[in-house]
Structures are given as structure tokens and as C-alpha cells.
Amino acid sequence: LILVSAIVIGVAVVGMKVVPSVIEYYTIDKHIKTIANSGAATVAEVRTAYERQSAVDDTPSVTGADLEVTKEGNQLVISFEYAKKIPVAGNVSILIEYAGSSSGSKRPIE
């Protein structure tokens, strides 16, 4: 019973430390998909729009300068990558590498 309790507590502690990072990733992903479909046409507009949304939701892991904005066909594609090091206990850490991309803009770029 003590061993099972220790394992459950260990998993709970790791989960409590990882969940905020995962929530931040999904928030960033939501922002770039919203911006890609919003009609922003230039790289500067995309970065400015992201900075505004990032300031509201406090997502410091990715800044507007970290976004890679490309054009595939007539669609705007916004990509990002970052790594998050989460300390667990002592010198033990978890490294999670996040990467995301918008599905593209529904509006063609001129």
C-alpha cells in the first residue's frame, strides 16, 4: 500500500508540473491558428497580432520573433518550436520539445 501510494504521489507531482506547460502549448497553438485565419497578410502583422494575444494569455515561451511565417501555395502557414525544461526534484528534469503549425489561412495572400 505504501509503495502504491508513493507511485501515485510521484505521478501526481510530475503531472502537476507538466500540465501548465501543456496548457501553454495549446494556447500558443490556438493563437497561431486564429491569426492564420484572421486575414493577417504580412509577417509584421502576424507577429504583432501574436504579441497582442500573447500578452493577454501570458505565454512567454514563444514571442512574435520566434514565429516562422511562410507561404505554401496561397495559404499562410505560421510555425513555432520551443523546448521547455521542467525541474522535477533535485537535479532531475523533464525536457519537452514542442512544435506546432497552423493549418493555414482560409484567405489567399496577395
Side-chain angles (χ1 to χ4, degrees):
L1 184 60
I2 293 174
L3 181 63
V4 172
S5 297
I7 292 171
V8 169
I9 291 171
V11 169
V13 167
V14 170
M16 288 176 9
K17 291 184 179 223
V18 170
V19 167
S21 176
V22 173
I23 291 171
E24 180 184 35
Y25 165 75
Y26 282 112
T27 303
I28 293 168
D29 194 50
K30 179 184 73 167
H31 288 327
I32 66 161
K33 288 179 181 177
T34 301
I35 293 166
N37 293 321
S38 71
T42 66
V43 174
E45 288 175 357
V46 168
R47 291 186 173 156
T48 302
Y50 178 79
E51 288 292 340
R52 276 187 265 133
Q53 289 190 5
S54 175
V56 171
D57 285 333
D58 190 31
T59 52
S61 295
V62 176
T63 64
D66 296 331
L67 299 177
E68 182 180 329
V69 183
T70 59
K71 184 175 152 182
E72 291 180 7
N74 285 335
Q75 293 189 335
L76 180 68
V77 177
I78 306 168
S79 305
F80 66 94
E81 289 183 5
Y82 68 99
K84 189 81 166 194
K85 184 178 178 182
I86 303 167
V88 177
N91 60 354
V92 177
S93 298
I94 297 174
L95 178 66
I96 304 174
E97 295 178 347
Y98 292 107
S101 177
S102 66
S103 60
S105 173
K106 295 180 180 173
R107 176 181 168 273
I109 297 177
E110 293 132 22

